[in-house]
Amino acid sequence: MAFRDVNARRHIGLQQLSSVALAGRTLLGPMKSCKFIVDESTNQSTLIGSAVRLIESLDLTSAAGQLLNETIQAQNKEFKTGLSTLFFLIGAWSNAVLECLQQNIPVSAIVSVMSEGLNSCCERVQCLQIPIHDVNKELCCSSVRPNTFKSKTCQLGHDSLLNPQVFLYFHKDISAPEEVIPISSCSYQEDDCNSNKWLVSPLAGFDSIDSLVKPVGDKSTSVISGSGVTTSSCNKLTHSRYFSTLGKSHFSSQQGNFQGYLSGHSVDPCECYGLGHLAMALSHGNQASVKLLQSIVVYQQERAECSGSSQFNIAEIVTCCLLGLPESYSCVSPGFVTLVSSEQAAVIKHFKDKPIRILLMDGDLTEQYRHLGFNRLCNVRTILEHPSLWEGRAGDLWLSSMLDILINFEVNLVLVKGNVCKNLMERCIANSILVIGFVTRNVLRAFGEVTSAQPVTYLTQLNASCVGSGVQVELWKACDGRAMDLGELVPVRIKVQGIPLLTAVLTTAVASKMQLIEDQFWTLVYRLHHALNDKNVFLGGGAVELLCLSHIQMLAEQPLQLANKNAVKEFHNPWLAASVTEYKSVVLQALASGWKQYLSVVMCNTAKAASELEACTTVDHHLKKAADCGSPSAYILKEFRRGGLLRGGSGPFADQREGLKVYDNVTAKTEAWRRALDLVLLVLQTDAEIITGPKRNQLLNSHMSRTFCI
């Protein structure tokens, strides 16, 4: 931690924000340095790589710390991205405001000029927005693309693309078997693919050795060079199916036999990989998550062709974290993969070759649970709120009656949104009924759509029409075809024909890294989700921040008379306008310093500059060239196309994908800016109100005014 001398104005809140934000400098950029957070009470450590995890691990008891936590949490809840940018700019702009205060600039001038400057920058950078369709077309037409490959006789099972055994081909350290053996005991129809149909691995082109996905029955050996690049003309692309109106629809009975691989008709490989390319451009170096997300994109796009549903639906994606397996075992599996106890896993052997009936519960499966809005009787006095179920006959009767209901309706599988009574769970296991708790609402909805099961709040509401059928339950198998036993918890896979649900199975052998891997995956998923919602993306790699710096520089150098005229028109107060005009240049330069520090730290973290001084020199060089060009936006766009902006691309893809374009979310980035400045100005004005009270002089003259704070 850094110590800072508290100045005479005693703006402690701003100094606290600045000090805390210093801890997040290494989390900025694609090559961020993660941090270990150690719990002193349990002596356990966790690897974190995002601002939200860092804030959750810190004990922030001050008012400024609480406001910082709420700001970070609000950004995380809405966007799941832009957190490191928000965290860093809070600290950078806090320092900038403190420097303005040391120059005796009025608080009102700081607030008005910084707010005006940020709004002006947000409007100026709109010219750097690129429509998704144009980005997709450019990425597909460029030579930078995953390798694609052909297969003349492709015969794969209905969920084989994402089947763990097929994912064996997607990991470079595991050799591919001669033939794919479906895990499921069900047999599926096999379709032949003609030579014009493509079977594409979204993971190809990332590893040093690109292996061919071999179809069932194909005994030939084919080797595709990792340096091979497939190019094709995109002149025929007049409309992309990936950017049609979002909508919901269900599989028809004919579409229930959906083939989970890229086949069915001849398609342009450029068009196939539209969202896959975009995901890679938004990944910012997150290579492992890109592979999983591209697999999801392929699956969902193929399903969208058959059903007309959304080309990318985030509600159909869930994660399952498996500790104890190498990271190369991570894959995407159709259906719902979750962890259950070994006792629950033992029930699954009774489900073999047996039709499974499923029940969905939208609440807790406990005797005390009442739905939201339930009004208890006012004339009843509660003697004991939570009695032990085994101490009284009433509890035993409830257990027996609930179990009888499940047995009478021949329910084999119960998915519960909330908690499950432990004693009822034990009785269900004894009667070969699998009960799984804490299932998300999206999972319940997905199973309800394809099984015709209707969620109920209480078991007493159950009737025959509420129970679904057609479900299959099996032990989840790794890419080598073996069922995994991870000790106390066992992964199981629940699927049904036609379900759109996909589970990203995330694996690692390092316990402290599990949370980081899951956070990185969801960050990339939400980046793609927000990009499709915005229908535009920003140029990445520092282009937007560089244009903000150029624009601020232009505003700061605005002639004094023109600035004064504009200020009078805006504030309708000559005195306030004169104050704002006098300090406008200094305050705007302070605002710009935040973005300049941002670019400098990112360049240092990615080893594009040996020091912040060298990074600042590079930024100043680009600013000068942009000013000399006459049109800063045109210069930045030109440098971005060349890949030379701030010394080009970075990250793990840099050595394999020369000239790879990087893009950013529009709304998430601008909202991070606004939230950062809003918090800084709020704390500034709050501190100003505190130190200008009736005891201001007594406070400033006390010996505490020169203390140190962390």
Side-chain angles (χ1 to χ4, degrees):
M1 284 293 184
F3 290 83
R4 182 185 180 92
D5 189 9
V6 178
N7 60 72
R9 298 291 296 274
R10 289 190 62 81
H11 285 273
I12 300 178
L14 291 175
Q15 299 183 56
Q16 290 174 338
L17 292 180
S18 175
S19 298
V20 173
L22 283 175
R25 291 172 64 90
T26 60
L27 302 178
L28 205 59
M31 302 292 289
K32 62 185 66 177
S33 299
C34 300
K35 294 180 178 293
F36 268 108
I37 301 297
V38 181
D39 188 346
E40 294 181 353
S41 60
T42 61
N43 218 17
Q44 294 181 347
S45 61
T46 302
L47 190 65
I48 59 104
S50 66
V52 66
R53 298 301 176 189
L54 178 61
I55 288 295
E56 289 174 351
S57 305
L58 298 178
D59 184 16
L60 302 176
T61 56
S62 64
Q66 292 296 324
L67 290 174
L68 173 62
N69 181 40
E70 292 177 6
T71 303
I72 296 291
Q73 295 294 343
Q75 177 80 6
N76 181 61
K77 182 178 180 181
E78 186 174 0
F79 297 107
K80 295 288 192 304
T81 184
L83 301 171
S84 297
T85 298
L86 170 62
F87 195 37
F88 180 85
L89 288 179
I90 287 174
W93 281 335
S94 295
N95 284 329
V97 170
L98 286 171
E99 292 177 2
C100 291
L101 291 173
Q102 290 175 354
Q103 300 180 52
N104 294 322
I105 299 178
V107 172
S108 58
I110 296 174
V111 173
S112 60
V113 174
M114 281 197 164
S115 299
E116 177 191 355
L118 180 61
N119 291 334
S120 180
C121 286
C122 289
E123 293 177 2
R124 183 67 182 88
V125 297
Q126 298 305 311
C127 64
L128 294 185
Q129 287 190 34
I130 309 296
I132 288 292
H133 185 272
D134 294 343
V135 173
N136 170 67
K137 186 175 181 180
E138 179 182 355
L139 292 175
C140 287
C141 290
S142 67
S143 61
V144 182
R145 68 184 61 219
N147 293 333
T148 54
F149 29 81
K150 299 180 181 180
S151 176
K152 292 185 178 180
T153 56
C154 307
Q155 301 174 346
L156 289 174
H158 97 291
D159 56 358
S160 56
L161 172 68
L162 305 178
N163 190 295
Q165 289 197 19
V166 176
F167 262 83
L168 186 62
Y169 304 118
F170 296 170
H171 307 299
K172 62 181 180 181
D173 296 330
I174 304 175
S175 58
E178 291 278 343
E179 184 173 344
V180 175
I181 303 175
I183 291 179
S184 174
S185 59
C186 297
S187 60
Y188 302 104
Q189 297 291 332
E190 296 180 349
D191 299 328
D192 292 334
C193 304
N194 58 42
S195 59
N196 293 326
K197 299 176 184 177
W198 295 82
L199 178 61
V200 186
S201 166
L203 310 188
F206 285 91
D207 297 328
S208 58
I209 300 176
D210 297 340
S211 54
L212 175 65
V213 176
K214 298 175 62 177
V216 174
D218 185 3
K219 302 298 182 179
S220 63
T221 59
S222 301
V223 178
I224 296 181
S225 172
S227 60
V229 178
T230 303
T231 60
S232 63
S233 173
C234 291
N235 295 331
K236 297 180 181 179
L237 182 60
T238 59
H239 176 70
S240 176
R241 64 179 176 271
Y242 306 130
F243 310 104
S244 58
T245 304
L246 300 181
K248 290 185 177 181
S249 62
H250 310 294
F251 278 151
S252 63
S253 58
Q254 292 81 6
Q255 293 166 337
N257 295 323
F258 165 67
Q259 300 296 312
Y261 54 93
L262 288 181
S263 63
H265 57 81
S266 179
V267 294
D268 190 332
C270 288
E271 197 175 359
C272 256
Y273 273 92
L275 295 187
H277 284 310
L278 181 60
M280 184 166 60
L282 292 169
S283 66
H284 298 183
N286 189 358
Q287 184 178 5
S289 297
V290 167
K291 298 179 180 182
L292 297 177
L293 183 56
Q294 287 185 327
S295 301
I296 293 173
V297 165
V298 170
Y299 189 97
Q300 290 193 345
Q301 287 179 179
E302 180 72 12
R303 177 177 175 270
E305 294 175 7
C306 299
S307 65
S309 59
S310 169
Q311 81 280 5
F312 182 71
N313 191 348
I314 200 171
E316 297 174 355
I317 305 172
V318 294
T319 55
C320 179
C321 300
L322 301 184
L323 180 62
L325 295 175
E327 293 180 24
S328 59
Y329 279 65
S330 295
C331 63
V332 179
S333 180
F336 179 49
V337 179
T338 187
L339 296 174
V340 299
S341 65
S342 56
E343 293 81 5
Q344 290 174 292
V347 177
I348 297 178
K349 66 181 181 180
H350 299 286
F351 294 160
K352 188 175 182 180
D353 300 328
K354 178 181 178 182
I356 298 177
R357 291 167 59 82
I358 184 174
L359 170 64
L360 310 176
M361 295 204 63
D362 188 17
D364 293 349
L365 187 51
T366 60
E367 184 179 8
Q368 295 81 23
Y369 174 74
R370 298 295 182 269
H371 64 274
L372 185 64
F374 175 80
N375 296 322
R376 297 182 181 273
L377 298 177
C378 57
N379 59 346
V380 175
R381 187 176 66 172
T382 302
I383 303 299
L384 188 59
E385 181 68 23
H386 299 293
S388 174
L389 294 179
W390 294 105
E391 290 181 359
R393 184 171 178 78
D396 194 21
L397 289 176
W398 179 83
L399 288 174
S400 300
S401 61
M402 296 301 103
L403 185 60
D404 290 341
I405 292 174
L406 295 176
I407 294 175
N408 291 337
F409 285 96
E410 299 179 350
V411 175
N412 310 108
L413 174 64
V414 184
L415 300 183
V416 185
K417 178 186 174 184
N419 191 22
V420 180
C421 175
K422 182 179 179 180
N423 295 321
L424 180 60
M425 175 86 74
E426 294 175 354
R427 289 200 176 191
C428 288
I429 292 175
N431 288 271
S432 299
I433 300 176
L434 181 61
V435 182
I436 300 177
F438 300 106
V439 179
T440 63
R441 188 182 298 273
N442 290 337
V443 174
L444 296 178
R445 184 183 299 113
F447 277 99
E449 290 176 354
V450 295
T451 63
S452 300
Q454 301 178 11
V456 297
T457 306
Y458 307 101
L459 278 180
T460 52
Q461 300 173 326
L462 189 60
N463 55 57
S465 62
C466 297
V467 182
S469 59
V471 181
Q472 294 177 314
V473 183
E474 61 186 7
L475 296 178
W476 180 83
K477 297 181 180 180
C479 53
D480 54 6
R482 295 178 299 175
M484 294 292 105
D485 184 0
L486 304 178
E488 297 180 356
L489 298 177
V490 179
V492 298
R493 180 187 179 199
I494 306 172
K495 63 178 182 177
V496 61
Q497 196 172 23
I499 191 169
L501 196 67
L502 296 174
T503 302
V505 182
L506 308 177
T507 63
T508 182
V510 183
S512 58
K513 196 178 179 181
M514 192 77 260
Q515 185 67 68
L516 175 63
I517 293 176
E518 186 177 17
D519 289 344
Q520 289 178 339
F521 172 78
W522 281 115
T523 296
L524 179 55
V525 169
Y526 274 94
R527 280 197 190 128
L528 180 59
H529 172 71
H530 293 309
L532 295 176
N533 285 347
D534 294 338
K535 296 182 174 60
N536 292 280
V537 290
F538 272 144
L539 301 183
V544 178
E545 290 79 9
L546 193 63
L547 183 58
C548 286
L549 285 174
S550 177
H551 184 62
I552 289 291
Q553 190 176 30
M554 181 195 67
L555 293 178
E557 295 172 355
Q558 195 176 42
L560 183 62
Q561 292 181 348
L562 180 60
N564 188 37
K565 181 179 178 180
N566 294 337
V568 172
K569 183 186 299 184
E570 179 178 355
F571 297 104
H572 308 287
N573 186 325
W575 178 86
L576 181 59
S579 175
V580 169
T581 305
E582 180 182 358
Y583 301 112
K584 185 172 184 178
S585 177
V586 178
V587 177
L588 286 177
Q589 291 294 348
L591 178 67
S593 67
W595 281 308
K596 194 169 187 179
Q597 290 179 39
Y598 174 88
L599 293 176
S600 301
V601 172
V602 170
M603 292 178 66
C604 290
N605 289 350
T606 54
K608 297 301 180 183
S611 64
E612 288 194 34
L613 179 60
E614 180 183 339
C616 289
T617 303
T618 302
V619 173
D620 290 336
H621 173 71
H622 279 288
L623 289 175
K624 184 178 183 304
K625 294 185 69 174
D628 295 340
C629 178
S631 176
S633 59
Y635 169 80
I636 291 174
L637 182 59
K638 172 187 171 185
E639 290 297 311
F640 179 83
R641 301 295 185 193
R642 290 178 48 209
L645 190 63
L646 300 182
R647 297 194 178 183
S650 59
F653 299 132
D655 55 343
Q656 303 176 29
R657 294 290 180 267
E658 183 179 355
L660 175 66
K661 299 296 188 299
V662 179
Y663 295 93
D664 281 327
N665 291 122
V666 174
T667 307
K669 179 179 281 289
T670 54
E671 279 301 307
W673 294 351
R674 294 186 187 279
R675 282 192 166 106
L677 187 61
D678 287 346
L679 175 60
V680 171
L681 297 183
L682 174 62
V683 174
L684 166 66
Q685 295 174 91
T686 304
D687 285 348
E689 291 293 332
I690 293 174
I691 68 173
T692 56
K695 296 185 178 181
R696 174 180 179 274
N697 294 332
Q698 178 182 349
L699 177 64
L700 294 182
N701 293 330
S702 66
H703 69 280
M704 294 294 292
S705 62
R706 302 298 297 177
T707 56
F708 288 84
C709 73
I710 295 180

